[in-house]
Amino acid sequence: MKKSCFQKLIISMVFTLLLLSFFSLNTFAKGNHGEVAKPESSVVAGAYYKSQLVELNSPTPNVKILYTTDGSDPIDNGQVYSEPILIEEDTVIKAIAVRGNVNNKAFAVNNGNTHSEIAVFTFTFETRASIANKFLSFTYDGMPYRLFVPDHYDPSQSYPLVLFLHGGGERGTDNEKQLLSNDGAIIWATPENQAKHPAFVLAPQARNVMTEDLL
């Protein structure tokens, strides 16, 4: 009876040790000896109007990130990432995560354990004029107005309508000043805001009308 209990205890201990070694190996692989994951960007690559502050990170611990902002190879020309990157113009960030002090030979024979694949993040920027050009131009009863229609507009969906009323300085009939003089209407049609909150943007332009009473 005692022998049987002792055997069960031994088997239980061996099984526990096997489980511990399995989890330790997995942790070991994911920590310093597993495949290195590509860097990730805190800002989704795409089109923007306002400047963006981009943070780079890798899901793999204990790595450093090399990057470039001119589209060149980060292996040859990269600098070590240490702080967020301010992007204010069209930019291509290329980044690679590296484990340890990797030399050129290690890069050449990489099997995924010394460095990641190169991640590419492309950022383009719109101007006030380029966004204004996306507004359709209309006239109603002599009043000019501009209308922005959301990208990928779906007639089966409902969208909010943003109405922008300009100040006195934008009066006229050119149907442009209410868009180009400031960001009042434009800001709602920027790629970053439309990505979060798709909406129609309506910007009428008041005419320079002088009544007899005012003369």
Side-chain angles (χ1 to χ4, degrees), residues 15-31:
F15 182 71
T16 300
L17 289 173
L18 287 173
L19 283 176
L20 289 174
S21 64
F22 173 77
F23 286 113
S24 296
L25 284 173
N26 275 345
T27 303
F28 182 68
K30 291 179 180 178

Side-chain angles (χ1 to χ4, degrees), residues 47-128:
Y48 292 89
Y49 179 58
K50 297 291 188 179
S51 61
Q52 300 294 315
L53 200 59
V54 178
E55 297 181 7
L56 299 177
N57 66 81
S58 173
T60 304
N62 304 319
V63 297
K64 61 183 177 182
I65 295 176
L66 303 178
Y67 76 96
T68 61
T69 56
D70 60 0
S72 61
D73 191 333
I75 295 175
D76 297 326
N77 306 309
Q79 56 183 311
V80 177
Y81 173 79
S82 60
E83 60 183 6
I85 307 164
L86 179 63
I87 305 296
E88 299 179 292
E89 59 184 4
D90 292 357
T91 301
V92 177
I93 295 177
K94 288 189 176 182
I96 186 170
V98 178
R99 177 183 286 125
N101 297 316
V102 180
N103 55 33
N104 289 336
K105 183 178 179 181
F107 276 122
V109 298
N110 173 55
N111 59 3
N113 293 330
T114 57
H115 65 84
S116 70
E117 296 179 359
I118 295 176
V120 181
F121 310 103
T122 302
F123 300 91
T124 58
F125 283 83
E126 298 272 8
T127 64
R128 186 182 294 170

